[in-house]
Amino acid sequence: MSFQATAFAYLFPGNAMVNSLLATAYISIFPNLLLYFVPPDINTSSLNVLVSFAVGGLLGDVFLHLLPHAFLGEHAEGGEAVHVNEQKNVLIGMGIFGGLFFFFVMDKLMRVFNGGGGAHDHGHHHHHDEKKEDESVVIKKDTNNQEGLRQRKKTNDEKNQEQEQDTKKKDNNEIKLSAYLNLFADFTHNMTDGLAMAASFYASPSVGATTAVAVFFHEIPHEVGDYAILIQSGFSKKRAMMAQFTTAVGAFLGTIIGIIIEQVSRADTSEKDTLVVGEDTGILGTGLHPSDLVIPFTAGGFMYIATVGVIPELLQVTGKIQKDRRQALAEFASMLVGLSLMAVIAWNEGAA
């Protein structure tokens, strides 16, 4: 038995249900514990290198593990031919798109809710500008009355201070709203991770272990990034860590939902196979069951997270050519290392 197989057997010694819960604990608890050692003002360049590594690992898991398994299943023994079912492939493709579309909808809604106060604020400030113009006209007409002028100037100063305080309060509220929306998005993201854990381990122990490794390395920079956002939003270090631990509940919830889907689907499949032997059951007679769409859905979600949610941030440059060049090379290398890690694991699985 190889070192990789031994390590996976040690980390995941139970059945699919137990292993998926164990994996969820690994990917939820340990990355959050690492936040204790992370400085609140972590260097952006260092974080981007970590993120690049995570993107390589996540996309490696998608293209080298999840998608091949979704379309082909586990590798056949003895060079057995794979039966191609075009209708089944269409449903799997729809499942992949469903995962990507779900995250697009969630991302869009988060952005809409986060920026919803912009138009209202603009109109509010415009209203105050009109008031200022009216007051300035009154002051000009009253220039002969020095006492009245001083009184009005004092009143205007007080109003300006109140307006500045209101603006600061609104800015703080918007920052806090952004932080809470980010926590909600993180909760939803973790639910998908939990679904991935359940679906992967029910597919096979090797697929489950590999997905757990990929998600684990993705979660480290992801949690660090969210932690930094919370710190910038005014959270204390302790409160930010507790908030991140709270979002881990989403991962366990997703895992439990995934386990229920798998158990119900397998029980239903077993019952139908007992009643009607030889009939091609499943969605639209393709032999594909709802639980079989969880992995394609997860793959689509991971693709969105890596390509739309993360890579655009890596494309940002400072305008300083030498610095950007070094940073780009570091990110390229880090991403390839992450991909290579998944490739080595996949290769060893095939040889096992």
Side-chain angles (χ1 to χ4, degrees), residues 2 12 17 24 32 65 73 79 93 96 100 110 137 153 172 204 208 210 221 233 241 253 272-273 277 295 299 314 344:
S2 66
F12 308 108
M17 182 187 301
T24 304
N32 281 308
H65 297 94
I96 296 169
L100 191 147
M110 290 298 102
V137 172
K153 187 175 183 301
N172 290 334
S204 79
T210 305
S233 300
M241 288 184 64
L253 181 61
K272 287 183 178 179
D273 289 344
V277 179
I295 283 184
L314 299 178
V344 168

Short mmCIF file of all heavy atoms in Angstrom, two decimals, residues 2 12 17 24 32 65 73 79 93 96 100 110 137 153 172 204 208 210 221 233 241 253 272-273 277 295 299 314 344:
data_model
loop_
_atom_site.label_atom_id
_atom_site.label_comp_id
_atom_site.label_asym_id
_atom_site.label_seq_id
_atom_site.Cartn_x
_atom_site.Cartn_y
_atom_site.Cartn_z
N SER A 2 0.58 2.20 -0.87
CA SER A 2 1.39 3.41 -1.00
C SER A 2 1.19 4.32 0.21
O SER A 2 0.24 4.17 0.99
CB SER A 2 1.01 4.16 -2.27
OG SER A 2 -0.32 4.64 -2.19
N PHE A 12 -9.35 8.81 7.03
CA PHE A 12 -10.76 8.51 6.75
C PHE A 12 -11.00 7.00 6.93
O PHE A 12 -11.08 6.25 5.95
CB PHE A 12 -11.12 8.94 5.33
CG PHE A 12 -10.75 10.37 5.03
CD1 PHE A 12 -9.68 10.67 4.19
CD2 PHE A 12 -11.46 11.42 5.59
CE1 PHE A 12 -9.35 11.98 3.92
CE2 PHE A 12 -11.13 12.74 5.32
CZ PHE A 12 -10.07 13.02 4.49
N MET A 17 -20.51 7.90 5.19
CA MET A 17 -21.15 8.90 6.05
C MET A 17 -20.15 9.45 7.07
O MET A 17 -20.02 10.67 7.23
CB MET A 17 -22.35 8.28 6.79
CG MET A 17 -23.09 9.26 7.68
SD MET A 17 -24.37 8.46 8.69
CE MET A 17 -25.41 7.74 7.42
N THR A 24 -15.39 17.12 6.61
CA THR A 24 -15.97 18.44 6.86
C THR A 24 -15.35 19.07 8.10
O THR A 24 -15.09 20.28 8.13
CB THR A 24 -17.49 18.32 7.04
OG1 THR A 24 -18.06 17.70 5.88
CG2 THR A 24 -18.13 19.69 7.21
N ASN A 32 -9.58 27.48 10.24
CA ASN A 32 -9.98 28.54 11.16
C ASN A 32 -9.03 28.68 12.34
O ASN A 32 -8.79 29.78 12.83
CB ASN A 32 -11.41 28.29 11.67
CG ASN A 32 -12.46 28.70 10.65
OD1 ASN A 32 -12.45 29.81 10.15
ND2 ASN A 32 -13.37 27.79 10.34
N HIS A 65 -10.53 15.16 -11.21
CA HIS A 65 -11.24 14.20 -10.36
C HIS A 65 -12.75 14.28 -10.53
O HIS A 65 -13.39 13.30 -10.91
CB HIS A 65 -10.88 14.44 -8.89
CG HIS A 65 -9.45 14.22 -8.57
ND1 HIS A 65 -8.53 15.24 -8.57
CD2 HIS A 65 -8.76 13.10 -8.26
CE1 HIS A 65 -7.33 14.74 -8.27
NE2 HIS A 65 -7.45 13.46 -8.08
N GLY A 73 -17.43 7.78 -14.16
CA GLY A 73 -17.50 6.95 -12.97
C GLY A 73 -16.12 6.48 -12.56
O GLY A 73 -15.10 6.99 -13.02
N GLY A 79 -9.60 -3.01 -18.31
CA GLY A 79 -9.78 -2.33 -19.59
C GLY A 79 -11.20 -2.40 -20.12
O GLY A 79 -11.42 -2.41 -21.32
N GLY A 93 -24.08 17.60 -17.82
CA GLY A 93 -23.70 18.95 -18.22
C GLY A 93 -24.62 20.00 -17.63
O GLY A 93 -24.16 21.08 -17.20
N ILE A 96 -23.61 20.55 -14.08
CA ILE A 96 -22.43 21.41 -13.97
C ILE A 96 -22.84 22.88 -14.12
O ILE A 96 -22.43 23.74 -13.33
CB ILE A 96 -21.39 21.04 -15.03
CG1 ILE A 96 -20.87 19.62 -14.79
CG2 ILE A 96 -20.22 22.03 -15.03
CD1 ILE A 96 -20.04 19.06 -15.93
N LEU A 100 -22.70 26.23 -11.45
CA LEU A 100 -22.13 27.52 -11.82
C LEU A 100 -23.18 28.62 -11.75
O LEU A 100 -22.93 29.71 -11.23
CB LEU A 100 -21.54 27.42 -13.23
CG LEU A 100 -20.68 28.58 -13.70
CD1 LEU A 100 -19.57 28.07 -14.63
CD2 LEU A 100 -21.50 29.62 -14.46
N MET A 110 -25.78 39.08 -3.71
CA MET A 110 -24.95 39.69 -2.67
C MET A 110 -24.50 41.08 -3.09
O MET A 110 -24.50 42.02 -2.29
CB MET A 110 -23.72 38.81 -2.39
CG MET A 110 -24.00 37.49 -1.70
SD MET A 110 -24.74 37.67 -0.06
CE MET A 110 -26.45 37.29 -0.44
N VAL A 137 -28.42 82.05 0.57
CA VAL A 137 -29.15 83.23 0.09
C VAL A 137 -29.67 84.06 1.26
O VAL A 137 -29.58 85.29 1.28
CB VAL A 137 -30.33 82.79 -0.82
CG1 VAL A 137 -31.20 83.99 -1.17
CG2 VAL A 137 -29.79 82.16 -2.09
N LYS A 153 -24.12 81.40 10.96
CA LYS A 153 -22.88 80.67 10.68
C LYS A 153 -22.68 79.54 11.69
O LYS A 153 -22.28 78.43 11.35
CB LYS A 153 -21.70 81.64 10.73
CG LYS A 153 -20.37 81.02 10.29
CD LYS A 153 -19.29 82.07 10.25
CE LYS A 153 -17.98 81.46 9.74
NZ LYS A 153 -17.51 80.36 10.57
N ASN A 172 -20.04 53.45 8.15
CA ASN A 172 -19.80 52.33 9.06
C ASN A 172 -20.86 51.26 8.92
O ASN A 172 -20.57 50.06 8.94
CB ASN A 172 -19.76 52.82 10.51
CG ASN A 172 -18.52 53.65 10.81
OD1 ASN A 172 -17.49 53.49 10.15
ND2 ASN A 172 -18.61 54.54 11.78
N SER A 204 -16.71 7.44 -4.02
CA SER A 204 -15.64 6.48 -3.71
C SER A 204 -14.74 7.11 -2.66
O SER A 204 -14.65 8.34 -2.58
CB SER A 204 -14.83 6.12 -4.96
OG SER A 204 -13.91 7.14 -5.27
N GLY A 208 -13.38 11.08 -2.59
CA GLY A 208 -13.67 11.87 -1.40
C GLY A 208 -12.42 12.44 -0.76
O GLY A 208 -12.37 13.62 -0.41
N THR A 210 -9.49 12.96 -2.13
CA THR A 210 -8.86 13.95 -3.01
C THR A 210 -9.59 15.28 -2.95
O THR A 210 -8.97 16.35 -2.88
CB THR A 210 -8.85 13.43 -4.46
OG1 THR A 210 -8.21 12.16 -4.49
CG2 THR A 210 -8.11 14.39 -5.37
N PRO A 221 -6.54 30.08 2.30
CA PRO A 221 -6.55 31.48 1.87
C PRO A 221 -7.94 32.09 1.87
O PRO A 221 -8.09 33.30 2.07
CB PRO A 221 -5.96 31.42 0.46
CG PRO A 221 -6.20 30.04 0.00
CD PRO A 221 -6.12 29.18 1.22
N SER A 233 -13.59 45.67 8.70
CA SER A 233 -14.94 46.14 8.97
C SER A 233 -15.15 46.52 10.43
O SER A 233 -16.26 46.89 10.81
CB SER A 233 -15.96 45.07 8.57
OG SER A 233 -15.84 44.76 7.20
N MET A 241 -12.68 35.71 14.42
CA MET A 241 -12.45 34.27 14.44
C MET A 241 -13.73 33.52 14.79
O MET A 241 -14.05 32.49 14.18
CB MET A 241 -11.34 33.93 15.44
CG MET A 241 -9.95 34.34 14.99
SD MET A 241 -8.67 33.80 16.15
CE MET A 241 -8.83 32.02 16.04
N LEU A 253 -23.95 21.54 7.69
CA LEU A 253 -25.32 21.48 7.18
C LEU A 253 -25.34 20.93 5.76
O LEU A 253 -26.18 20.07 5.42
CB LEU A 253 -25.95 22.88 7.22
CG LEU A 253 -27.40 22.99 6.73
CD1 LEU A 253 -28.32 22.13 7.59
CD2 LEU A 253 -27.86 24.45 6.76
N LYS A 272 -36.21 0.05 -6.50
CA LYS A 272 -36.63 -0.09 -7.89
C LYS A 272 -35.95 -1.27 -8.56
O LYS A 272 -36.54 -1.99 -9.36
CB LYS A 272 -36.33 1.20 -8.66
CG LYS A 272 -37.27 2.34 -8.30
CD LYS A 272 -36.97 3.58 -9.12
CE LYS A 272 -37.95 4.70 -8.77
NZ LYS A 272 -37.67 5.93 -9.56
N ASP A 273 -34.67 -1.46 -8.24
CA ASP A 273 -33.94 -2.58 -8.83
C ASP A 273 -34.52 -3.91 -8.36
O ASP A 273 -34.50 -4.90 -9.09
CB ASP A 273 -32.46 -2.50 -8.45
CG ASP A 273 -31.76 -1.36 -9.17
OD1 ASP A 273 -32.33 -0.85 -10.15
OD2 ASP A 273 -30.64 -0.97 -8.74
N VAL A 277 -36.24 -5.85 -12.41
CA VAL A 277 -34.87 -6.21 -12.71
C VAL A 277 -34.59 -5.95 -14.19
O VAL A 277 -35.37 -6.33 -15.06
CB VAL A 277 -34.61 -7.70 -12.39
CG1 VAL A 277 -33.18 -8.08 -12.73
CG2 VAL A 277 -34.92 -7.98 -10.93
N ILE A 295 -22.17 15.76 -7.61
CA ILE A 295 -20.77 16.01 -8.00
C ILE A 295 -20.68 16.97 -9.18
O ILE A 295 -19.87 17.91 -9.15
CB ILE A 295 -20.05 14.68 -8.29
CG1 ILE A 295 -19.70 14.00 -6.96
CG2 ILE A 295 -18.79 14.90 -9.12
CD1 ILE A 295 -18.91 12.72 -7.10
N ALA A 299 -18.86 20.55 -9.03
CA ALA A 299 -17.81 20.93 -9.99
C ALA A 299 -18.11 22.29 -10.60
O ALA A 299 -17.21 23.14 -10.73
CB ALA A 299 -17.68 19.87 -11.08
N LEU A 314 -6.68 38.14 -8.80
CA LEU A 314 -5.27 37.89 -9.10
C LEU A 314 -4.80 38.68 -10.32
O LEU A 314 -3.60 38.86 -10.53
CB LEU A 314 -5.04 36.39 -9.36
CG LEU A 314 -5.36 35.45 -8.19
CD1 LEU A 314 -5.14 34.01 -8.60
CD2 LEU A 314 -4.52 35.80 -6.97
N VAL A 344 -0.65 14.58 -9.09
CA VAL A 344 0.08 13.47 -8.47
C VAL A 344 -0.88 12.54 -7.74
O VAL A 344 -0.80 11.31 -7.85
CB VAL A 344 1.16 14.01 -7.50
CG1 VAL A 344 1.72 12.89 -6.64
CG2 VAL A 344 2.27 14.69 -8.29
#
